[in-house]
Amino acid sequence: MTQINKLKIFNDPIYGFITIPNALIYDLVQHPYFQRLRRISQMGLSYLVYPGANHTRFHHALGSMHLMQKAVEVLRFKEVNISSEEENALYIAILLHDVGHGPFSHAMESSIVEDVHHEEISLLFMNQLNIEFQGQLSLAIKVFKGEYHRKFMLQLISSQLDMDRMDYLKRDSFYSGVSEGNVNSERLIQMMNVVDDVLVIEEKGIYSVEKFLMSRRLMYWQVYLHKTSLAAELTLTKVLKRAKELTERGVVLPCSEPLLFFMQNKVTMETFDPKTLKLFAKLDDFDIISALKAWESNDDFILSSLSKMIINRDLLKIKLTNDKVPLEELQVQKERFSIQNKISLAESNYFIFKGKIKSQAYSKVAEPIRILNKDKTIEDVVEASDQLNLKSLSKLVTKYYICFPKQLL
């Protein structure tokens, strides 16, 4: 029986009241693994550009679950059969879909762990919770892994029009103050239906889908891939790489015990055992910020300089271009910088480097967004839409960047 005192409500600035549907969901929200998300920012270092963007992954996970509740309600109204076990599995899977994110999100994935992605860590957390909760998460895990026969359930959690994207676009738009990203998630959910266990959007919802895809494109180029946010995230990745390199050389750096473990050990998916997971669960943004503050005064020029850049928001300069950056251009700058600061040419790679970023608002390769026409035929939104914009939105846009210190200007 559901305990009444566990049917809590959260007051959310976007949706109003979010209700916790049952005692199991309440216990999962209360679990330290989930509470940790209160200490992980949703948008990484974007608050250095958008001062309001201080919301957390805890906010986002609850918001996504709220949208899932609305979706279940709409689909049941349209006579889609969803059992109470399936309903619960959907809530659990969407609630925990981001539980594996590390501090400042993506900077961790390419620095102190070796290509271990947050989705894989989320699954490790879910498996661990399933042991603690005596198998009550088994169906949610099956859905999350795409192993459940009802395809639409995975589409609601992870697809090109899922509850995750609907919440983060609306939420990130709200907190960053970039109104272009404000999608009408309520209408999109109202237009959902299921045909042959596949998720479809009714024809009259096509304009809402177009607006959603356009909002996604604008949010990526204006917010998520904003050049200053990008410079900050790349700098953080470099700091962590340098810290790891120094630790491997035997230098003892002041930092928290969980962070020290990841500095001292090569962590891959194969070595991610329960002990590693336990330590990862103790890592959050505060470990990184306090480490950066301690490293500001370190004797190592590279570590202290890069740490100061983030703490004082005095970041590397970044230039975006549509063409590849020639290597010679970098080489001249590296030579000048290494002589100026008495560091090796190899070490100047921490300050002067190039790369590329890609964005695609709609992928033709991935699972399509299907439109259910009035005559009951189903087609890809790109074909169903009379908007030429949608065809261009499915093009992969690549931009190249170069990062360098301001004194080289």
Side-chain angles (χ1 to χ4, degrees):
M1 197 181 106
T2 300
Q3 293 176 34
I4 298 300
N5 67 338
K6 290 191 174 185
L7 296 180
K8 301 285 184 192
I9 55 170
F10 287 90
N11 197 346
D12 183 72
I14 292 164
Y15 309 119
F17 292 116
I18 293 176
T19 56
I20 300 292
N22 57 53
L24 173 61
I25 301 285
Y26 174 83
D27 290 337
L28 286 170
V29 168
Q30 281 295 92
H31 196 281
Y33 288 169
F34 192 79
Q35 288 294 318
R36 165 182 166 272
L37 297 181
R38 289 183 185 272
R39 302 185 300 279
I40 297 203
S41 60
Q42 170 70 13
M43 289 172 66
L45 290 161
S46 292
Y47 64 82
L48 293 174
V49 179
Y50 298 101
N54 276 305
H55 56 302
T56 65
R57 294 211 169 261
F58 182 87
H59 275 130
H60 163 59
L62 285 174
S64 302
M65 186 195 69
H66 172 75
L67 293 182
M68 187 66 85
Q69 287 172 293
K70 298 286 172 203
V72 168
E73 199 180 295
V74 166
L75 293 175
R76 277 187 173 155
F77 179 74
K78 292 179 183 178
E79 296 180 349
V80 176
N81 184 29
I82 300 171
S83 70
S84 57
E85 289 78 16
E86 288 172 331
E87 176 186 7
N88 227 22
L90 285 169
Y91 297 160
I92 293 166
I94 196 69
L95 189 73
L96 301 176
H97 77 281
D98 268 352
V99 77
H101 264 290
F104 294 110
S105 305
H106 303 286
M108 289 281 294
E109 290 178 15
S110 45
S111 54
I112 67 169
V113 293
E114 313 276 329
D115 287 323
V116 183
H117 298 290
H118 69 270
E119 294 94 345
E120 296 170 305
I121 303 173
S122 291
L123 200 52
L124 292 176
F125 274 126
M126 286 163 90
N127 286 327
Q128 186 58 41
L129 286 165
N130 200 28
I131 295 165
E132 289 181 34
F133 285 88
Q134 285 93 40
Q136 291 183 85
L137 280 73
S138 297
L139 185 56
I141 292 168
K142 207 173 172 184
V143 171
F144 186 78
K145 287 164 80 175
E147 292 172 357
Y148 193 57
H149 67 280
R150 304 193 74 185
K151 196 175 176 182
F152 80 91
M153 289 179 68
L154 176 64
Q155 289 173 299
L156 288 169
I157 295 155
S158 178
S159 67
Q160 298 204 71
L161 190 65
D162 55 27
M163 301 305 116
D164 172 32
R165 289 184 185 191
M166 276 189 216
D167 181 80
Y168 77 62
L169 286 174
K170 200 172 177 71
R171 191 167 297 278
D172 297 349
S173 153
F174 176 86
Y175 281 97
S176 63
V178 178
S179 57
E180 287 87 347
N182 187 10
V183 297
N184 191 346
S185 48
E186 291 81 2
R187 179 163 171 81
L188 282 164
I189 290 170
Q190 284 297 331
M191 295 299 116
M192 284 181 169
N193 210 330
V194 171
V195 176
D196 298 330
D197 274 334
V198 172
L199 194 67
V200 294
I201 301 291
E202 290 162 3
E203 191 181 340
K204 55 182 184 269
I206 194 164
Y207 302 114
S208 301
V209 176
E210 287 171 0
K211 165 75 168 58
F212 170 84
L213 294 173
M214 189 57 78
S215 298
R216 191 164 183 266
R217 175 180 175 269
L218 291 166
M219 284 296 283
Y220 265 83
W221 289 115
Q222 206 171 324
V223 179
Y224 306 131
L225 296 175
H226 186 287
K227 63 178 192 169
T228 308
S229 303
L230 182 64
E233 190 172 306
L234 291 165
T235 306
L236 180 57
T237 305
K238 296 281 182 188
V239 177
L240 295 170
K241 277 192 171 168
R242 181 60 173 178
K244 190 155 189 171
E245 190 185 309
L246 292 170
T247 306
E248 282 166 0
R249 286 190 208 160
V251 179
V252 180
L253 295 175
C255 64
S256 70
E257 188 192 334
L259 185 55
L260 187 64
F261 173 84
F262 286 91
M263 291 294 174
Q264 291 174 336
N265 295 279
K266 185 176 179 178
V267 178
T268 62
M269 201 56 215
E270 286 69 45
T271 61
F272 223 107
D273 56 16
K275 181 200 168 196
T276 309
L277 189 69
K278 209 169 182 180
L279 282 160
F280 186 87
K282 293 189 172 183
L283 267 184
D284 55 49
D285 291 4
F286 294 92
D287 295 78
I288 304 295
I289 292 292
S290 57
L292 292 174
K293 286 168 76 178
W295 298 344
E296 276 186 293
S297 54
N298 195 273
D299 294 339
D300 182 70
F301 168 75
I302 297 167
L303 188 70
S304 66
S305 302
L306 294 172
S307 298
K308 281 175 190 165
M309 283 179 188
I310 297 171
I311 293 294
N312 302 322
R313 199 197 176 276
D314 188 13
L315 302 163
L316 292 168
K317 197 79 187 145
I318 185 167
K319 277 186 181 169
L320 287 180
T321 166
N322 293 323
D323 307 307
K324 285 185 179 178
V325 181
L327 267 172
E328 308 79 68
E329 195 182 316
L330 253 74
Q331 205 55 30
V332 174
Q333 291 194 356
K334 282 179 188 174
E335 283 165 11
R336 266 177 62 202
F337 189 75
S338 60
I339 293 163
Q340 272 174 15
N341 297 284
K342 300 181 179 63
I343 59 172
S344 71
L345 205 56
E347 286 175 330
S348 67
N349 287 327
Y350 277 104
F351 298 91
I352 301 162
F353 50 90
K354 63 178 189 145
K356 61 183 175 182
I357 46 174
K358 295 176 180 178
S359 178
Q360 189 177 24
Y362 182 71
S363 169
K364 283 185 170 178
V365 184
E367 185 79 32
I369 297 175
R370 296 177 175 88
I371 301 296
L372 175 66
N373 295 316
K374 288 190 178 75
D375 62 4
K376 302 296 179 199
T377 57
I378 294 171
E379 54 185 336
D380 187 325
V381 66
V382 174
E383 309 309 322
S385 170
D386 54 8
Q387 269 281 356
L388 290 171
N389 281 350
L390 281 203
K391 288 192 172 61
S392 59
L393 285 180
S394 50
K395 279 187 191 145
L396 183 67
V397 179
T398 305
K399 291 190 181 183
Y400 300 89
Y401 63 79
I402 173 171
C403 282
F404 54 91
K406 286 175 181 167
Q407 61 259 48
L408 285 179
L409 278 171

